């Protein structure tokens, strides 16, 4: 494949299946690649797919992150912001383009709990934060992110808008207003 300038961008292996990702190929090169793969012993079939399996998982994760009401902010081990969903934008009043790839401490000094989590692995649950500069009031919980070897590689913060927390609290604790139609008592007349 190398002699013919066919580069494999990624490969994913599952039981009895191997997925190969290549750059867009002209039809002649694609046919050549398919023939070379068919020449490998025990290859049963070759199917063209639109998306690698890991890309499906990434797409599903993006959908979850983009539709949840809690803000999600994740960093690498150095505190560089790697994930920042639309709810985080709404809660913190800062757009993703202004924070992604930047140092958490320099952009959001209000997120000291996440920095502590990144450095010492300590989890923080529902810490109340008021970010006066942006007028943000929220609860933050932060958790370390570990790799497969158990090495701490970053952290993730879950942000809950205090407006949402208070709205939910009121919904479950306040008594509904009574109206005349809701009174079910009848007198014995």
């Amino acid at each position: 494949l190398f002699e013919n300038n066919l580069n494999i961008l990624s490969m994913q292996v599952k039981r009895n299946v191997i997925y190969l990702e290549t750059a867009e190929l002209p039809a002649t090169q694609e046919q050549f690649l398919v023939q070379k793969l068919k020449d490998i012993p025990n290859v049963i079939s070759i199917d063209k797919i639109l998306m690698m399996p890991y890309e499906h998982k990434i797409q599903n994760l993006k959908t979850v992150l983009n539709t949840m009401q809690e803000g999600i902010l994740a960093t690498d081990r150095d505190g560089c912001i790697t994930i920042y969903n639309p709810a985080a934008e709404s809660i913190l009043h800062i757009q993703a383009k202004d924070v992604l790839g930047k140092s958490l401490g320099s952009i959001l000094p209000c997120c000291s709990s996440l920095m502590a989590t990144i450095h010492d692995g300590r989890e923080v649950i529902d810490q109340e934060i008021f970010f006066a500069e942006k007028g943000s009031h929220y609860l933050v919980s932060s958790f370390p992110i570990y790799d497969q070897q158990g090495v701490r590689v970053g952290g993730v913060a879950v942000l809950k808008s205090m407006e949402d927390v208070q709205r939910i609290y009121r919904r479950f604790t306040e008594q509904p207003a009574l109206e005349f139609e809701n009174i079910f008592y009848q007198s014995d007349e």
Side-chain angles (χ1 to χ4, degrees):
L1 299 179
F2 178 74
E3 302 96 33
N4 294 295
N5 291 325
L6 294 175
N7 293 323
I8 295 174
L9 301 176
S10 69
M11 180 169 78
Q12 188 171 348
V13 179
K14 290 186 175 183
R15 187 176 182 177
N16 297 323
V17 180
I18 298 175
Y19 298 95
L20 299 176
E21 180 181 14
T22 65
E24 189 69 32
L25 298 174
T28 55
Q29 280 187 314
E30 185 177 317
Q31 291 168 355
F32 172 78
L33 176 60
V34 168
Q35 189 54 52
K36 284 290 188 186
L37 293 172
K38 284 181 177 178
D39 291 344
I40 298 172
N42 297 322
V43 170
I44 298 170
S45 71
I46 297 172
D47 301 313
K48 185 175 181 177
I49 58 175
L50 297 177
M51 196 180 294
M52 294 286 283
Y54 74 87
E55 291 174 313
H56 283 288
K57 289 180 183 179
I58 291 170
Q59 188 61 43
N60 289 343
L61 180 59
K62 283 181 181 179
T63 300
V64 169
L65 288 173
N66 290 336
T67 57
M68 58 191 309
Q69 291 182 341
E70 289 81 12
I72 301 294
L73 185 154
T75 69
D76 62 15
R77 79 178 85 236
D78 299 319
C80 181
I81 300 170
T82 57
I83 295 174
Y84 190 81
N85 74 345
E89 287 182 316
S90 175
I91 293 167
L92 295 174
H93 308 293
I94 303 174
Q95 293 186 352
K97 68 179 179 65
D98 297 328
V99 299
L100 285 171
K102 297 185 179 151
S103 170
L104 176 67
S106 66
I107 300 294
L108 298 167
C110 60
C111 290
S112 59
S113 59
L114 180 54
M115 289 303 294
T117 297
I118 294 166
H119 289 137
D120 64 21
R122 177 174 41 101
E123 291 183 2
V124 175
I125 306 294
D126 290 334
Q127 179 182 18
E128 186 174 2
I129 304 287
F130 184 73
F131 185 19
E133 184 180 323
K134 295 291 183 179
S136 300
H137 190 200
Y138 57 94
L139 293 179
V140 63
S141 297
S142 59
F143 307 91
I145 299 173
Y146 295 98
D147 67 11
Q148 292 176 335
Q149 288 74 38
V151 175
R152 197 169 43 254
V153 295
V156 62
V158 178
L159 312 171
K160 298 175 198 154
S161 162
M162 283 304 287
E163 289 177 8
D164 289 344
V165 171
Q166 291 167 351
R167 181 179 41 78
I168 292 168
Y169 175 79
R170 281 192 303 273
R171 190 168 100 203
F172 288 105
T173 59
E174 288 182 356
Q175 295 295 319
L178 289 178
E179 296 181 10
F180 190 72
E181 299 86 43
N182 295 339
I183 300 173
F184 297 109
Y185 181 78
Q186 289 184 336
S187 63
D188 294 332
E189 290 186 38

